[in-house]
Amino acid sequence: MDPDMVQQVIDAASRVVASGAISANGHGNVSLRVPGEDEMYFTGGPSLRGHQPEAVARVGLDGTLREGRLPPIQAAVVAMHTAMYADQPAVGCVIHTHSPFATSFAVARRPIGCWIEALAMFGLPDGVPVAGYGPRGSDQAVANIRAAVVPGVPAVLLANHGVLVFHRTPELAVLVGGVVEEAAQAAVNSIGFGGPVEIPPEMRAAALQRAMAFEQEGTAEVGRR
Ligand SMILES: [Zn+2]
């Protein structure tokens, strides 16, 4: 087991917990692809809260356990992680949670619309699609996820289950998980005032361009312009 990879997975799990986009019991799993190898490091523990390095497992992208141990309940969801790495070479981190507000949409089998600007800025200008239900870890569940994932779109809701986020780095994956949860929470809170309204499609592109323009200008500092 590479201690550096183990630490990176633990750090990513801690970041998910710190982001707040997680259910009360902390259920979820995080994996990191080993660069250049056909394997990943995976959180085999029951909760991302206080996840211990000893519970991290090294798993082949064919789903076989290579090092560590994998309780059955965690082994069942390995396939949805490996499928994302197999299908998307650029993906370096996969995160699965039951973050409460996003999971409310998953339970209702309703996609999340582009209700907040951050979705457009972080690769979800058309919101978050829903993958049809299948028993967790089943071939059906994985096939449904693959069918729902839109190339370049870093998140999908899992019907009657939770959320799956995948991105190049753990930092970006955690960020997207937080943005998805924030959009879902704002939408639920807006229901008393008529419900969420989508940003018009042409304005979503404008929001992204505006964000990129700010990014190019760099950090503002006094005395520098
Ligand atoms: Zn789950």
Side-chain angles (χ1 to χ4, degrees), residues 64-170:
T64 53
L65 177 64
R66 293 184 176 174
E67 211 175 344
R69 38 194 296 284
L70 215 45
I73 196 159
Q74 299 301 329
V77 292
V78 157
M80 67 185 183
H81 287 252
T82 56
M84 296 301 100
Y85 293 121
D87 292 354
Q88 305 184 68
V91 166
C93 176
V94 179
I95 297 173
H96 165 57
T97 70
H98 301 165
S99 70
F101 286 96
T103 299
S104 302
F105 280 86
V107 164
R109 301 188 179 183
R110 292 268 300 266
I112 290 172
C114 191
W115 299 312
I116 64 171
E117 211 175 59
L119 287 173
M121 287 162 57
F122 293 104
L124 293 157
D126 296 318
V128 187
V130 185
Y133 177 75
R136 57 189 257 146
S138 65
D139 290 347
Q140 182 67 60
V142 174
N144 288 346
I145 292 167
R146 283 184 147 136
V149 168
V150 179
V153 172
V156 66
L157 299 176
L158 312 176
N160 306 96
H161 183 178
V163 192
L164 192 66
V165 178
F166 27 93
H167 218 307
R168 294 192 302 278
T169 66

Side-chain angles (χ1 to χ4, degrees), residues 214 217-225:
F214 275 120
E217 280 178 28
T219 304
E221 286 176 54
V222 175
R224 175 178 166 266
R225 45 171 296 152

